[in-house]
Amino acid sequence: MEAIGLFYGSTHGMTEKAAMKIKKALGGTIVDVYDLKNASIEDIQKYNNLIFGTSAWGIGEMQDDWELFVDNLSVVDFSDRKVALYGLGDQMEYPESFVDGLGTLYCRLPDKSRVVGSWPVEGYNYYFSLAEKDGAFVGLVLDDHNQADLSEKRIAEWVKQLKKEFK
Ligand SMILES: Cc1cc2nc3c(=O)[nH]c(=O)nc-3n(C[C@H](O)[C@H](O)[C@H](O)COP(=O)(O)O)c2cc1C
């Protein structure tokens, strides 16, 4: 598998913590992790395998650093790249907008045909999520407020899937 660039936006460190766990599960050295607030579009263009992570804020909002950065993606040629997404949220406090940041990030991607790593909706309790599409989440969903005990297992499963889907 080629190198993976993982780019996350995180306000209180929860999406960052998940990034480190995903890196470890993928085998460490193959993954370069970037905090989006210190990353450039050139950093993203170094990788054919990409992972983007965001938390959810406000009404349908991505984490702030993604809100500022996402339009830069329009210059990236995604035709030869694979992209996997993950999102952090809180299904108890925000059941009507659960992990909406993940859904918004998906919507704002210039080329959705390269997205891999969709994730089942079973096992979560919520009313509505922008991240749900055709009966599945558009990427891995983690809720470290209410289901922290499940995150490790979810990451391990998702990573198994990515190892098949990435280049
Ligand atoms: C003001 C505020 C708004 C939030 N809005 C949502 C939301 O709409 N949907 C959701 O699932 N989580 C929402 N959350 C929960 C965060 O996404 C969650 O705490 C996440 O783990 C934060 O990750 P971070 O520290 O990496 O930014 C919100 C949290 C706060 C404080």
Side-chain angles (χ1 to χ4, degrees), residues 10-15 55-58 88-90 94 97-99 145:
S10 185
T11 302
H12 297 306
M14 299 182 88
T15 311
S55 44
W57 295 87
L88 276 278
D90 180 340
Y94 305 95
S97 58
F98 181 45
V99 284
H145 293 277

